[in-house]
Amino acid sequence: MGPGVLDPLLADAGLAPAPDGSLAMGGVRLAEVADTVGTPAFVYDAGTMRLRYGTLDRAFGGLPHRICYAVKANSNLAVLRLLARLGAGADIVSGGEMLRALAAGFAPQDIVFSGVGKTDEELLAAMAAGIGHLNIESLAELRRIAMLTDFHDHDVAVGIRVNPDVTAETHPYIATGKGGLKFGIPRDQFAEALEVIDAAGRMRLGAVAMHIGSQILQAAPYVAGMERLLELLEQARTAGHAPGVLDLGGGLGIRYRDEVPLDPGAWIAPLRGMMQSSGCTIHVAPGRYLVGSAGVLLTRVVFQKHSGGREIAVVDAGMNDLVRPALYQAWHEIVPVQPSGAPMVRIDVVGPVCETGDFLAIEREMAPLAQGDLLAVLGAGAYGFAMSSNYNSRARAAEVLVDDGRWAVIRPRERLTDLFRDEVTDPFAGKDS
Ligand SMILES: *Cc1c(COP(=O)(O)O)cnc(C)c1O
């Protein structure tokens, strides 16, 4: 990949050469981080997150709005605290994320609880905590909440996440706004949803919401979705409801390779008139846009091998650390932390996990690699650590936050013995059978 394509990716990530020629993030040499905490390690740049948040925030101009960070993209408490301090709300999808958001300092009323399968336990915990509103995704969920609120002593605000039935060009696993998928209430059930709210004593409609998918690079599907939200808003008002929030969801895409991401200004511009006329506070729920480019995964080459005419580099980060290539055929740019300038060759960069799908890149054009070389996998700030697992009994990686020349571990690498700490070796030992 030529420097012309790589440059914007490095700039997006806050990466630049240090005086010694090696790659630095936010003024911190990545080699220093790797030498201290080991690899694999996720490194996030606070400066990039602030920049992203500020750019999106300013794109709204004077429109009343709130950026609710989608916690699932990267739920480390330090990342959450940073965004909370900037004024973000939080969009969560589980009771675990609720506890994280509260622990990181989000005010309960600034938290929106989304997700298709909230359990009674999660719903009751959210109500008890005074969560801003519950975005409901089915009539069944709405009825369940109506029942649970009977035990409740104050009103619970719900948002109806509708399925706007719009198609967004993205990977099928991250398209969520098409009819027939599990997400959202179909538009033809909206009237019935309003009736359930009417009939419940302690429930009110706080928001009309959508989330059409992820890694979206055009404004058109948002415009189409927004038009449908406005129709439903009208329908809700006619039925006597007064929701104060229109929630457009997240999904704003980033550059992983040579995409042209939608600039927040270009995202909001075609929506602005509709936002204004709605009279509502506009919520957006970006995850990837705020943190995706802000993170790299550091990994070292363990071995090299040749097989079937292919050059293979086995690195110490696997699909358990970064599952996106295996799950979505995702492209992540991989750059050597110490650039060599040698002519490019084609390399398969694979992990140590016992799965053929365990790769970071296939036939990637890059300078030759040697054992011990340190690599930075770009675009790993979102859906990286958050989707990582202990598959193959591998400890999850360390996480590091860089901020303008300083750096700190924000989650130490897991200890291997912790992985089986709670397991019971011989459950029936000494018992009659
Ligand atoms: C995943 C998700 C988001 C965030 O998606 P990004 O593509 O990371 O912006 C927002 N809202 C809901 C309901 C989600 O499920």
Side-chain angles (χ1 to χ4, degrees), residues 169-207:
E169 267 175 55
T170 188
H171 189 278
Y173 286 9
I174 51 176
T176 58
K178 189 78 195 121
L181 295 178
K182 70 175 178 180
F183 298 102
I185 289 200
R187 282 184 294 160
D188 59 8
Q189 294 172 15
F190 189 75
E192 197 176 344
L194 295 178
E195 286 165 18
V196 175
I197 296 173
D198 285 333
R202 295 215 165 271
M203 200 159 39
R204 66 178 176 83
L205 182 65

PDB file of all heavy atoms in Angstrom, residues 169-207:
ATOM      1  N   GLU A 169     -25.693   0.290   2.710  1.00  0.00           N
ATOM      2  CA  GLU A 169     -24.646  -0.542   2.117  1.00  0.00           C
ATOM      3  C   GLU A 169     -23.547  -0.790   3.131  1.00  0.00           C
ATOM      4  O   GLU A 169     -22.719   0.077   3.384  1.00  0.00           O
ATOM      5  CB  GLU A 169     -24.019   0.201   0.936  1.00  0.00           C
ATOM      6  CG  GLU A 169     -24.654  -0.109  -0.400  1.00  0.00           C
ATOM      7  CD  GLU A 169     -24.054   0.753  -1.489  1.00  0.00           C
ATOM      8  OE1 GLU A 169     -22.827   0.726  -1.642  1.00  0.00           O
ATOM      9  OE2 GLU A 169     -24.840   1.471  -2.134  1.00  0.00           O
ATOM     10  N   THR A 170     -23.563  -1.941   3.727  1.00  0.00           N
ATOM     11  CA  THR A 170     -22.521  -2.295   4.685  1.00  0.00           C
ATOM     12  C   THR A 170     -22.495  -3.819   4.773  1.00  0.00           C
ATOM     13  O   THR A 170     -23.234  -4.499   4.068  1.00  0.00           O
ATOM     14  CB  THR A 170     -22.770  -1.611   6.053  1.00  0.00           C
ATOM     15  OG1 THR A 170     -21.643  -1.830   6.895  1.00  0.00           O
ATOM     16  CG2 THR A 170     -24.007  -2.159   6.744  1.00  0.00           C
ATOM     17  N   HIS A 171     -21.630  -4.362   5.608  1.00  0.00           N
ATOM     18  CA  HIS A 171     -21.585  -5.819   5.742  1.00  0.00           C
ATOM     19  C   HIS A 171     -22.926  -6.313   6.303  1.00  0.00           C
ATOM     20  O   HIS A 171     -23.466  -5.707   7.215  1.00  0.00           O
ATOM     21  CB  HIS A 171     -20.440  -6.210   6.684  1.00  0.00           C
ATOM     22  CG  HIS A 171     -20.171  -7.693   6.710  1.00  0.00           C
ATOM     23  ND1 HIS A 171     -20.904  -8.566   7.482  1.00  0.00           N
ATOM     24  CD2 HIS A 171     -19.270  -8.440   6.044  1.00  0.00           C
ATOM     25  CE1 HIS A 171     -20.459  -9.802   7.296  1.00  0.00           C
ATOM     26  NE2 HIS A 171     -19.462  -9.747   6.426  1.00  0.00           N
ATOM     27  N   PRO A 172     -23.482  -7.429   5.738  1.00  0.00           N
ATOM     28  CA  PRO A 172     -24.806  -7.881   6.191  1.00  0.00           C
ATOM     29  C   PRO A 172     -24.904  -8.105   7.701  1.00  0.00           C
ATOM     30  O   PRO A 172     -25.977  -7.923   8.280  1.00  0.00           O
ATOM     31  CB  PRO A 172     -25.006  -9.194   5.419  1.00  0.00           C
ATOM     32  CG  PRO A 172     -23.765  -9.471   4.639  1.00  0.00           C
ATOM     33  CD  PRO A 172     -22.948  -8.219   4.609  1.00  0.00           C
ATOM     34  N   TYR A 173     -23.802  -8.476   8.350  1.00  0.00           N
ATOM     35  CA  TYR A 173     -23.870  -8.713   9.799  1.00  0.00           C
ATOM     36  C   TYR A 173     -24.027  -7.421  10.587  1.00  0.00           C
ATOM     37  O   TYR A 173     -24.319  -7.468  11.787  1.00  0.00           O
ATOM     38  CB  TYR A 173     -22.610  -9.432  10.287  1.00  0.00           C
ATOM     39  CG  TYR A 173     -22.522 -10.892   9.925  1.00  0.00           C
ATOM     40  CD1 TYR A 173     -23.430 -11.476   9.058  1.00  0.00           C
ATOM     41  CD2 TYR A 173     -21.518 -11.687  10.463  1.00  0.00           C
ATOM     42  CE1 TYR A 173     -23.332 -12.811   8.722  1.00  0.00           C
ATOM     43  CE2 TYR A 173     -21.408 -13.025  10.135  1.00  0.00           C
ATOM     44  CZ  TYR A 173     -22.320 -13.588   9.257  1.00  0.00           C
ATOM     45  OH  TYR A 173     -22.208 -14.905   8.947  1.00  0.00           O
ATOM     46  N   ILE A 174     -23.776  -6.267   9.967  1.00  0.00           N
ATOM     47  CA  ILE A 174     -23.908  -5.008  10.717  1.00  0.00           C
ATOM     48  C   ILE A 174     -24.939  -4.076  10.089  1.00  0.00           C
ATOM     49  O   ILE A 174     -24.965  -2.891  10.357  1.00  0.00           O
ATOM     50  CB  ILE A 174     -22.543  -4.297  10.917  1.00  0.00           C
ATOM     51  CG1 ILE A 174     -21.787  -4.156   9.592  1.00  0.00           C
ATOM     52  CG2 ILE A 174     -21.686  -5.040  11.941  1.00  0.00           C
ATOM     53  CD1 ILE A 174     -20.484  -3.374   9.733  1.00  0.00           C
ATOM     54  N   ALA A 175     -25.806  -4.629   9.222  1.00  0.00           N
ATOM     55  CA  ALA A 175     -26.966  -3.879   8.729  1.00  0.00           C
ATOM     56  C   ALA A 175     -28.136  -4.217   9.650  1.00  0.00           C
ATOM     57  O   ALA A 175     -28.409  -5.386   9.900  1.00  0.00           O
ATOM     58  CB  ALA A 175     -27.282  -4.272   7.291  1.00  0.00           C
ATOM     59  N   THR A 176     -28.800  -3.188  10.188  1.00  0.00           N
ATOM     60  CA  THR A 176     -29.826  -3.460  11.204  1.00  0.00           C
ATOM     61  C   THR A 176     -31.166  -2.798  10.897  1.00  0.00           C
ATOM     62  O   THR A 176     -32.111  -2.959  11.652  1.00  0.00           O
ATOM     63  CB  THR A 176     -29.359  -2.947  12.584  1.00  0.00           C
ATOM     64  OG1 THR A 176     -29.092  -1.545  12.473  1.00  0.00           O
ATOM     65  CG2 THR A 176     -28.113  -3.655  13.064  1.00  0.00           C
ATOM     66  N   GLY A 177     -31.247  -2.014   9.807  1.00  0.00           N
ATOM     67  CA  GLY A 177     -32.437  -1.185   9.592  1.00  0.00           C
ATOM     68  C   GLY A 177     -33.398  -1.732   8.549  1.00  0.00           C
ATOM     69  O   GLY A 177     -34.319  -1.053   8.117  1.00  0.00           O
ATOM     70  N   LYS A 178     -33.196  -2.987   8.133  1.00  0.00           N
ATOM     71  CA  LYS A 178     -34.035  -3.568   7.093  1.00  0.00           C
ATOM     72  C   LYS A 178     -35.174  -4.336   7.756  1.00  0.00           C
ATOM     73  O   LYS A 178     -34.987  -4.974   8.792  1.00  0.00           O
ATOM     74  CB  LYS A 178     -33.153  -4.519   6.263  1.00  0.00           C
ATOM     75  CG  LYS A 178     -33.795  -5.054   5.008  1.00  0.00           C
ATOM     76  CD  LYS A 178     -33.779  -4.036   3.888  1.00  0.00           C
ATOM     77  CE  LYS A 178     -34.748  -4.486   2.789  1.00  0.00           C
ATOM     78  NZ  LYS A 178     -35.807  -3.543   2.503  1.00  0.00           N
ATOM     79  N   GLY A 179     -36.360  -4.303   7.135  1.00  0.00           N
ATOM     80  CA  GLY A 179     -37.499  -5.049   7.660  1.00  0.00           C
ATOM     81  C   GLY A 179     -37.159  -6.538   7.756  1.00  0.00           C
ATOM     82  O   GLY A 179     -36.379  -7.048   6.960  1.00  0.00           O
ATOM     83  N   GLY A 180     -37.735  -7.235   8.745  1.00  0.00           N
ATOM     84  CA  GLY A 180     -37.506  -8.672   8.855  1.00  0.00           C
ATOM     85  C   GLY A 180     -36.301  -9.029   9.693  1.00  0.00           C
ATOM     86  O   GLY A 180     -36.129 -10.181  10.069  1.00  0.00           O
ATOM     87  N   LEU A 181     -35.455  -8.058  10.016  1.00  0.00           N
ATOM     88  CA  LEU A 181     -34.339  -8.340  10.923  1.00  0.00           C
ATOM     89  C   LEU A 181     -34.852  -8.267  12.357  1.00  0.00           C
ATOM     90  O   LEU A 181     -35.962  -7.813  12.612  1.00  0.00           O
ATOM     91  CB  LEU A 181     -33.192  -7.337  10.702  1.00  0.00           C
ATOM     92  CG  LEU A 181     -32.499  -7.403   9.330  1.00  0.00           C
ATOM     93  CD1 LEU A 181     -31.420  -6.340   9.223  1.00  0.00           C
ATOM     94  CD2 LEU A 181     -31.896  -8.788   9.100  1.00  0.00           C
ATOM     95  N   LYS A 182     -34.016  -8.678  13.295  1.00  0.00           N
ATOM     96  CA  LYS A 182     -34.517  -8.761  14.681  1.00  0.00           C
ATOM     97  C   LYS A 182     -34.644  -7.398  15.349  1.00  0.00           C
ATOM     98  O   LYS A 182     -35.205  -7.296  16.434  1.00  0.00           O
ATOM     99  CB  LYS A 182     -33.594  -9.670  15.504  1.00  0.00           C
ATOM    100  CG  LYS A 182     -32.214  -9.073  15.778  1.00  0.00           C
ATOM    101  CD  LYS A 182     -31.410  -9.992  16.693  1.00  0.00           C
ATOM    102  CE  LYS A 182     -30.020  -9.437  16.935  1.00  0.00           C
ATOM    103  NZ  LYS A 182     -29.222 -10.283  17.810  1.00  0.00           N
ATOM    104  N   PHE A 183     -34.116  -6.348  14.709  1.00  0.00           N
ATOM    105  CA  PHE A 183     -34.038  -5.051  15.391  1.00  0.00           C
ATOM    106  C   PHE A 183     -35.273  -4.184  15.168  1.00  0.00           C
ATOM    107  O   PHE A 183     -35.795  -4.093  14.062  1.00  0.00           O
ATOM    108  CB  PHE A 183     -32.805  -4.283  14.918  1.00  0.00           C
ATOM    109  CG  PHE A 183     -31.524  -4.997  15.232  1.00  0.00           C
ATOM    110  CD1 PHE A 183     -30.849  -5.700  14.260  1.00  0.00           C
ATOM    111  CD2 PHE A 183     -31.015  -4.998  16.523  1.00  0.00           C
ATOM    112  CE1 PHE A 183     -29.676  -6.381  14.552  1.00  0.00           C
ATOM    113  CE2 PHE A 183     -29.853  -5.679  16.825  1.00  0.00           C
ATOM    114  CZ  PHE A 183     -29.176  -6.375  15.834  1.00  0.00           C
ATOM    115  N   GLY A 184     -35.705  -3.508  16.227  1.00  0.00           N
ATOM    116  CA  GLY A 184     -36.719  -2.471  16.114  1.00  0.00           C
ATOM    117  C   GLY A 184     -38.130  -2.991  15.934  1.00  0.00           C
ATOM    118  O   GLY A 184     -38.375  -4.161  15.653  1.00  0.00           O
ATOM    119  N   ILE A 185     -39.085  -2.057  16.139  1.00  0.00           N
ATOM    120  CA  ILE A 185     -40.500  -2.369  15.972  1.00  0.00           C
ATOM    121  C   ILE A 185     -40.886  -2.022  14.537  1.00  0.00           C
ATOM    122  O   ILE A 185     -40.625  -0.910  14.085  1.00  0.00           O
ATOM    123  CB  ILE A 185     -41.336  -1.539  16.986  1.00  0.00           C
ATOM    124  CG1 ILE A 185     -41.097  -2.092  18.395  1.00  0.00           C
ATOM    125  CG2 ILE A 185     -42.798  -1.508  16.611  1.00  0.00           C
ATOM    126  CD1 ILE A 185     -42.160  -1.740  19.390  1.00  0.00           C
ATOM    127  N   PRO A 186     -41.509  -2.949  13.822  1.00  0.00           N
ATOM    128  CA  PRO A 186     -41.931  -2.629  12.455  1.00  0.00           C
ATOM    129  C   PRO A 186     -42.897  -1.437  12.479  1.00  0.00           C
ATOM    130  O   PRO A 186     -43.680  -1.289  13.424  1.00  0.00           O
ATOM    131  CB  PRO A 186     -42.650  -3.903  11.994  1.00  0.00           C
ATOM    132  CG  PRO A 186     -42.226  -4.974  12.925  1.00  0.00           C
ATOM    133  CD  PRO A 186     -41.865  -4.319  14.221  1.00  0.00           C
ATOM    134  N   ARG A 187     -42.833  -0.628  11.425  1.00  0.00           N
ATOM    135  CA  ARG A 187     -43.646   0.590  11.424  1.00  0.00           C
ATOM    136  C   ARG A 187     -45.127   0.298  11.584  1.00  0.00           C
ATOM    137  O   ARG A 187     -45.852   1.072  12.209  1.00  0.00           O
ATOM    138  CB  ARG A 187     -43.404   1.374  10.138  1.00  0.00           C
ATOM    139  CG  ARG A 187     -42.093   2.145  10.173  1.00  0.00           C
ATOM    140  CD  ARG A 187     -41.945   2.987   8.935  1.00  0.00           C
ATOM    141  NE  ARG A 187     -41.809   2.133   7.750  1.00  0.00           N
ATOM    142  CZ  ARG A 187     -42.047   2.539   6.515  1.00  0.00           C
ATOM    143  NH1 ARG A 187     -42.474   3.779   6.299  1.00  0.00           N
ATOM    144  NH2 ARG A 187     -41.873   1.724   5.485  1.00  0.00           N
ATOM    145  N   ASP A 188     -45.573  -0.831  11.044  1.00  0.00           N
ATOM    146  CA  ASP A 188     -47.017  -1.123  11.112  1.00  0.00           C
ATOM    147  C   ASP A 188     -47.453  -1.574  12.507  1.00  0.00           C
ATOM    148  O   ASP A 188     -48.623  -1.830  12.743  1.00  0.00           O
ATOM    149  CB  ASP A 188     -47.431  -2.117  10.021  1.00  0.00           C
ATOM    150  CG  ASP A 188     -46.688  -3.452  10.117  1.00  0.00           C
ATOM    151  OD1 ASP A 188     -45.971  -3.658  11.118  1.00  0.00           O
ATOM    152  OD2 ASP A 188     -46.840  -4.282   9.202  1.00  0.00           O
ATOM    153  N   GLN A 189     -46.502  -1.690  13.444  1.00  0.00           N
ATOM    154  CA  GLN A 189     -46.884  -1.996  14.835  1.00  0.00           C
ATOM    155  C   GLN A 189     -46.749  -0.776  15.742  1.00  0.00           C
ATOM    156  O   GLN A 189     -46.926  -0.861  16.952  1.00  0.00           O
ATOM    157  CB  GLN A 189     -46.009  -3.139  15.382  1.00  0.00           C
ATOM    158  CG  GLN A 189     -46.243  -4.467  14.671  1.00  0.00           C
ATOM    159  CD  GLN A 189     -45.256  -5.547  15.071  1.00  0.00           C
ATOM    160  OE1 GLN A 189     -44.554  -5.423  16.072  1.00  0.00           O
ATOM    161  NE2 GLN A 189     -45.170  -6.602  14.280  1.00  0.00           N
ATOM    162  N   PHE A 190     -46.419   0.359  15.126  1.00  0.00           N
ATOM    163  CA  PHE A 190     -46.166   1.567  15.913  1.00  0.00           C
ATOM    164  C   PHE A 190     -47.431   2.015  16.658  1.00  0.00           C
ATOM    165  O   PHE A 190     -47.387   2.347  17.848  1.00  0.00           O
ATOM    166  CB  PHE A 190     -45.641   2.681  14.997  1.00  0.00           C
ATOM    167  CG  PHE A 190     -45.150   3.906  15.708  1.00  0.00           C
ATOM    168  CD1 PHE A 190     -43.934   3.902  16.369  1.00  0.00           C
ATOM    169  CD2 PHE A 190     -45.902   5.076  15.714  1.00  0.00           C
ATOM    170  CE1 PHE A 190     -43.467   5.034  17.026  1.00  0.00           C
ATOM    171  CE2 PHE A 190     -45.445   6.218  16.369  1.00  0.00           C
ATOM    172  CZ  PHE A 190     -44.226   6.185  17.018  1.00  0.00           C
ATOM    173  N   ALA A 191     -48.575   1.992  15.930  1.00  0.00           N
ATOM    174  CA  ALA A 191     -49.827   2.444  16.545  1.00  0.00           C
ATOM    175  C   ALA A 191     -50.161   1.582  17.761  1.00  0.00           C
ATOM    176  O   ALA A 191     -50.569   2.099  18.814  1.00  0.00           O
ATOM    177  CB  ALA A 191     -50.960   2.387  15.519  1.00  0.00           C
ATOM    178  N   GLU A 192     -49.943   0.287  17.618  1.00  0.00           N
ATOM    179  CA  GLU A 192     -50.237  -0.623  18.729  1.00  0.00           C
ATOM    180  C   GLU A 192     -49.294  -0.339  19.902  1.00  0.00           C
ATOM    181  O   GLU A 192     -49.715  -0.391  21.063  1.00  0.00           O
ATOM    182  CB  GLU A 192     -50.080  -2.068  18.245  1.00  0.00           C
ATOM    183  CG  GLU A 192     -50.752  -3.073  19.162  1.00  0.00           C
ATOM    184  CD  GLU A 192     -50.674  -4.511  18.620  1.00  0.00           C
ATOM    185  OE1 GLU A 192     -50.385  -4.694  17.423  1.00  0.00           O
ATOM    186  OE2 GLU A 192     -50.899  -5.428  19.430  1.00  0.00           O
ATOM    187  N   ALA A 193     -48.041  -0.010  19.587  1.00  0.00           N
ATOM    188  CA  ALA A 193     -47.085   0.327  20.654  1.00  0.00           C
ATOM    189  C   ALA A 193     -47.570   1.550  21.432  1.00  0.00           C
ATOM    190  O   ALA A 193     -47.504   1.580  22.669  1.00  0.00           O
ATOM    191  CB  ALA A 193     -45.704   0.575  20.050  1.00  0.00           C
ATOM    192  N   LEU A 194     -48.087   2.541  20.712  1.00  0.00           N
ATOM    193  CA  LEU A 194     -48.599   3.738  21.391  1.00  0.00           C
ATOM    194  C   LEU A 194     -49.761   3.365  22.316  1.00  0.00           C
ATOM    195  O   LEU A 194     -49.882   3.908  23.423  1.00  0.00           O
ATOM    196  CB  LEU A 194     -49.058   4.776  20.358  1.00  0.00           C
ATOM    197  CG  LEU A 194     -47.965   5.375  19.464  1.00  0.00           C
ATOM    198  CD1 LEU A 194     -48.575   6.342  18.455  1.00  0.00           C
ATOM    199  CD2 LEU A 194     -46.892   6.091  20.289  1.00  0.00           C
ATOM    200  N   GLU A 195     -50.600   2.443  21.861  1.00  0.00           N
ATOM    201  CA  GLU A 195     -51.743   2.029  22.691  1.00  0.00           C
ATOM    202  C   GLU A 195     -51.274   1.324  23.965  1.00  0.00           C
ATOM    203  O   GLU A 195     -51.854   1.517  25.032  1.00  0.00           O
ATOM    204  CB  GLU A 195     -52.669   1.100  21.893  1.00  0.00           C
ATOM    205  CG  GLU A 195     -53.484   1.854  20.854  1.00  0.00           C
ATOM    206  CD  GLU A 195     -54.124   0.930  19.818  1.00  0.00           C
ATOM    207  OE1 GLU A 195     -54.229  -0.296  20.092  1.00  0.00           O
ATOM    208  OE2 GLU A 195     -54.503   1.437  18.739  1.00  0.00           O
ATOM    209  N   VAL A 196     -50.228   0.522  23.847  1.00  0.00           N
ATOM    210  CA  VAL A 196     -49.720  -0.159  25.050  1.00  0.00           C
ATOM    211  C   VAL A 196     -49.228   0.893  26.052  1.00  0.00           C
ATOM    212  O   VAL A 196     -49.481   0.791  27.258  1.00  0.00           O
ATOM    213  CB  VAL A 196     -48.566  -1.132  24.685  1.00  0.00           C
ATOM    214  CG1 VAL A 196     -47.965  -1.754  25.944  1.00  0.00           C
ATOM    215  CG2 VAL A 196     -49.058  -2.226  23.739  1.00  0.00           C
ATOM    216  N   ILE A 197     -48.562   1.922  25.538  1.00  0.00           N
ATOM    217  CA  ILE A 197     -48.076   2.986  26.432  1.00  0.00           C
ATOM    218  C   ILE A 197     -49.250   3.719  27.071  1.00  0.00           C
ATOM    219  O   ILE A 197     -49.245   3.998  28.275  1.00  0.00           O
ATOM    220  CB  ILE A 197     -47.160   3.964  25.653  1.00  0.00           C
ATOM    221  CG1 ILE A 197     -45.896   3.230  25.176  1.00  0.00           C
ATOM    222  CG2 ILE A 197     -46.793   5.164  26.528  1.00  0.00           C
ATOM    223  CD1 ILE A 197     -45.001   4.037  24.268  1.00  0.00           C
ATOM    224  N   ASP A 198     -50.282   3.993  26.268  1.00  0.00           N
ATOM    225  CA  ASP A 198     -51.470   4.678  26.793  1.00  0.00           C
ATOM    226  C   ASP A 198     -52.103   3.895  27.931  1.00  0.00           C
ATOM    227  O   ASP A 198     -52.528   4.457  28.938  1.00  0.00           O
ATOM    228  CB  ASP A 198     -52.521   4.850  25.682  1.00  0.00           C
ATOM    229  CG  ASP A 198     -52.122   5.947  24.705  1.00  0.00           C
ATOM    230  OD1 ASP A 198     -51.392   6.853  25.127  1.00  0.00           O
ATOM    231  OD2 ASP A 198     -52.528   5.876  23.534  1.00  0.00           O
ATOM    232  N   ALA A 199     -52.157   2.582  27.743  1.00  0.00           N
ATOM    233  CA  ALA A 199     -52.856   1.739  28.703  1.00  0.00           C
ATOM    234  C   ALA A 199     -52.050   1.531  29.983  1.00  0.00           C
ATOM    235  O   ALA A 199     -52.608   1.176  31.022  1.00  0.00           O
ATOM    236  CB  ALA A 199     -53.173   0.383  28.063  1.00  0.00           C
ATOM    237  N   ALA A 200     -50.737   1.759  29.901  1.00  0.00           N
ATOM    238  CA  ALA A 200     -49.901   1.551  31.089  1.00  0.00           C
ATOM    239  C   ALA A 200     -49.948   2.809  31.959  1.00  0.00           C
ATOM    240  O   ALA A 200     -49.904   3.924  31.447  1.00  0.00           O
ATOM    241  CB  ALA A 200     -48.471   1.255  30.676  1.00  0.00           C
ATOM    242  N   GLY A 201     -50.043   2.598  33.235  1.00  0.00           N
ATOM    243  CA  GLY A 201     -50.178   3.747  34.132  1.00  0.00           C
ATOM    244  C   GLY A 201     -48.920   4.588  34.248  1.00  0.00           C
ATOM    245  O   GLY A 201     -48.984   5.800  34.341  1.00  0.00           O
ATOM    246  N   ARG A 202     -47.776   3.947  34.212  1.00  0.00           N
ATOM    247  CA  ARG A 202     -46.554   4.652  34.578  1.00  0.00           C
ATOM    248  C   ARG A 202     -45.505   4.663  33.472  1.00  0.00           C
ATOM    249  O   ARG A 202     -44.308   4.589  33.722  1.00  0.00           O
ATOM    250  CB  ARG A 202     -45.952   4.001  35.824  1.00  0.00           C
ATOM    251  CG  ARG A 202     -46.829   4.155  37.049  1.00  0.00           C
ATOM    252  CD  ARG A 202     -45.986   4.328  38.283  1.00  0.00           C
ATOM    253  NE  ARG A 202     -46.749   4.822  39.403  1.00  0.00           N
ATOM    254  CZ  ARG A 202     -46.924   6.096  39.669  1.00  0.00           C
ATOM    255  NH1 ARG A 202     -46.400   7.015  38.888  1.00  0.00           N
ATOM    256  NH2 ARG A 202     -47.616   6.475  40.719  1.00  0.00           N
ATOM    257  N   MET A 203     -45.970   4.754  32.244  1.00  0.00           N
ATOM    258  CA  MET A 203     -45.028   4.756  31.133  1.00  0.00           C
ATOM    259  C   MET A 203     -45.351   5.947  30.244  1.00  0.00           C
ATOM    260  O   MET A 203     -46.515   6.275  30.038  1.00  0.00           O
ATOM    261  CB  MET A 203     -45.166   3.445  30.357  1.00  0.00           C
ATOM    262  CG  MET A 203     -43.996   3.130  29.521  1.00  0.00           C
ATOM    263  SD  MET A 203     -43.816   1.387  29.071  1.00  0.00           S
ATOM    264  CE  MET A 203     -45.414   0.814  28.742  1.00  0.00           C
ATOM    265  N   ARG A 204     -44.281   6.622  29.748  1.00  0.00           N
ATOM    266  CA  ARG A 204     -44.542   7.677  28.763  1.00  0.00           C
ATOM    267  C   ARG A 204     -43.551   7.552  27.616  1.00  0.00           C
ATOM    268  O   ARG A 204     -42.441   7.032  27.786  1.00  0.00           O
ATOM    269  CB  ARG A 204     -44.465   9.061  29.410  1.00  0.00           C
ATOM    270  CG  ARG A 204     -43.100   9.425  29.893  1.00  0.00           C
ATOM    271  CD  ARG A 204     -43.053  10.835  30.497  1.00  0.00           C
ATOM    272  NE  ARG A 204     -41.721  11.068  31.016  1.00  0.00           N
ATOM    273  CZ  ARG A 204     -40.702  11.464  30.272  1.00  0.00           C
ATOM    274  NH1 ARG A 204     -40.874  11.726  28.969  1.00  0.00           N
ATOM    275  NH2 ARG A 204     -39.502  11.617  30.796  1.00  0.00           N
ATOM    276  N   LEU A 205     -43.964   8.065  26.461  1.00  0.00           N
ATOM    277  CA  LEU A 205     -43.102   7.995  25.283  1.00  0.00           C
ATOM    278  C   LEU A 205     -42.097   9.145  25.334  1.00  0.00           C
ATOM    279  O   LEU A 205     -42.486  10.311  25.256  1.00  0.00           O
ATOM    280  CB  LEU A 205     -43.935   8.070  23.999  1.00  0.00           C
ATOM    281  CG  LEU A 205     -43.134   7.966  22.703  1.00  0.00           C
ATOM    282  CD1 LEU A 205     -42.466   6.589  22.570  1.00  0.00           C
ATOM    283  CD2 LEU A 205     -44.018   8.245  21.477  1.00  0.00           C
ATOM    284  N   GLY A 206     -40.827   8.812  25.482  1.00  0.00           N
ATOM    285  CA  GLY A 206     -39.800   9.843  25.553  1.00  0.00           C
ATOM    286  C   GLY A 206     -39.064  10.062  24.251  1.00  0.00           C
ATOM    287  O   GLY A 206     -38.516  11.135  24.003  1.00  0.00           O
ATOM    288  N   ALA A 207     -39.027   9.034  23.401  1.00  0.00           N
ATOM    289  CA  ALA A 207     -38.215   9.146  22.196  1.00  0.00           C
ATOM    290  C   ALA A 207     -38.747   8.256  21.084  1.00  0.00           C
ATOM    291  O   ALA A 207     -39.378   7.235  21.329  1.00  0.00           O
ATOM    292  CB  ALA A 207     -36.771   8.746  22.502  1.00  0.00           C
TER     293      ALA A 207
END
